[in-house]
Amino acid sequence: MQLQEILYTQGFGTRRVCAGLVQQGFVQVYMPEQGSAPVTITQAAMEFVAEGLRFRVQGVDWPYAERAYLMLNKPAGTECSQKPSTYPSIYTLLPSPLRLRPQKAAVQGVQAVGRLDQDTTGMLLLTDDGKFIHRMSSPKHHVPKVYEVTVKHPLDEKQVSKLLSGVVLDDDPKPVRAAACEAVSEFHLRMTLTEGKYHQVKRMVAAVSNRVEGLHRSSIGGVSLPADLPLGGWRWLTADEIVAVQTKV
């Protein structure tokens, strides 16, 4: 694949812009036979094997990725929307190439896999793989999601028991149950859900006469949010993690 085409697929602009980046000496490629230092390439049409390619654009290193799979540690006060109404969009936390990766759909770049409320923090997945988004969002795909919940009133065994046995929400007569639930401390509840109803954690906690004061998603499937990923920070998912986040109950 031509270098200008590789850059285009990775979101660095139009083909003309990508060709210009190469011709102006802003692109370097890591070539195994040349040692560890990247080599500046100025021929936009130069051919490379895209899979496994590492390159540097304007001083920033990038791996080639046919599809982007990311993990973001969402901070409070951000919206999971391309057109936020009140708070800044989570997409402003990502570098431009990830937001501009070309898509056949009208919206370009990576998209959030599900949403977290503006005041909720923690693990959020983003990708430009539509099939992955559909699979992860399907009600039939019971991927466990673990939430760390700070509550207003002291917890007791009765509340935890009700959350495990099922509570009725106002939009569905069928009881909704937590897949797992434990009182970590007097005001810290750890709850695992396999569904994604609107404001589900908050509404379930309200149904047992308590109130959510803080909400943080700590894991999805078999992957936990790394302790060293700061609020607002992101990183690529590894190949193993892409499989593990899809692990069902």
Side-chain angles (χ1 to χ4, degrees):
M1 189 185 296
Q2 293 184 356
L3 185 55
Q4 61 186 355
E5 186 69 16
I6 290 173
L7 295 180
Y8 168 73
T9 66
Q10 303 303 289
F12 287 93
T14 64
R15 288 179 174 86
R16 178 174 292 183
V17 167
C18 291
L21 286 170
V22 178
Q23 291 162 359
Q24 294 174 62
F26 292 133
V27 181
Q28 297 171 299
V29 176
Y30 287 90
M31 305 175 75
E33 66 274 14
Q34 299 293 332
S36 59
V39 177
T40 300
I41 306 295
T42 56
Q43 295 175 298
M46 190 168 178
E47 297 270 347
F48 291 91
V49 176
E51 189 64 35
L53 188 70
R54 292 174 57 236
F55 53 91
R56 179 179 291 177
V57 181
Q58 295 179 307
V60 179
D61 286 347
W62 290 87
Y64 171 82
E66 184 177 359
R67 286 284 180 265
Y69 301 91
L70 314 173
M71 174 195 302
L72 172 74
N73 188 356
K74 181 190 175 295
T78 55
E79 295 183 28
C80 297
S81 172
Q82 295 279 5
K83 297 179 180 179
S85 58
T86 307
Y87 299 89
S89 169
I90 56 162
Y91 297 101
T92 63
L93 301 170
L94 302 175
S96 177
L98 293 175
R99 293 183 274 118
L100 297 177
R101 288 172 66 93
Q103 292 266 51
K104 292 180 180 179
V107 179
Q108 302 301 291
V110 297
Q111 307 298 314
V113 182
R115 295 193 173 198
L116 293 177
D117 296 340
Q118 64 83 14
D119 57 349
T120 301
T121 63
M123 187 173 173
L124 185 69
L125 302 179
L126 300 104
T127 184
D128 58 352
D129 182 344
K131 291 182 179 179
F132 180 87
I133 294 174
H134 177 75
R135 186 162 58 250
M136 292 291 288
S137 304
S138 171
K140 298 178 182 179
H141 197 76
H142 300 295
V143 176
K145 300 177 179 69
V146 180
Y147 296 87
E148 311 298 331
V149 191
T150 302
V151 297
K152 183 174 183 178
H153 308 295
L155 293 162
D156 57 39
E157 290 184 8
K158 186 177 180 181
Q159 291 177 38
V160 173
S161 178
K162 282 185 177 180
L163 290 168
L164 286 169
S165 61
V167 296
V168 176
L169 305 180
D170 54 15
D171 63 345
D172 190 350
K174 185 180 177 181
V176 177
R177 300 175 178 82
C181 189
E182 64 172 316
V184 180
S185 65
E186 191 175 16
F187 296 96
H188 178 187
L189 182 71
R190 179 170 295 137
M191 190 188 312
T192 302
L193 301 180
T194 57
E195 306 174 74
K197 292 180 178 290
Y198 181 70
H199 287 169
Q200 186 172 348
V201 174
K202 294 176 182 177
R203 293 162 67 204
M204 288 180 70
V205 170
V208 296
S209 301
N210 212 321
R211 177 176 172 175
V212 172
E213 296 284 281
L215 187 57
H216 176 85
R217 185 157 67 191
S218 57
S219 72
I220 299 175
V223 180
S224 296
L225 188 69
D228 61 353
L229 186 63
L231 274 174
W234 69 275
R235 71 163 175 79
W236 298 90
L237 290 179
T238 66
D240 288 343
E241 287 173 337
I242 293 169
V243 174
V245 293
Q246 302 177 69
T247 303
K248 299 181 182 181
V249 176

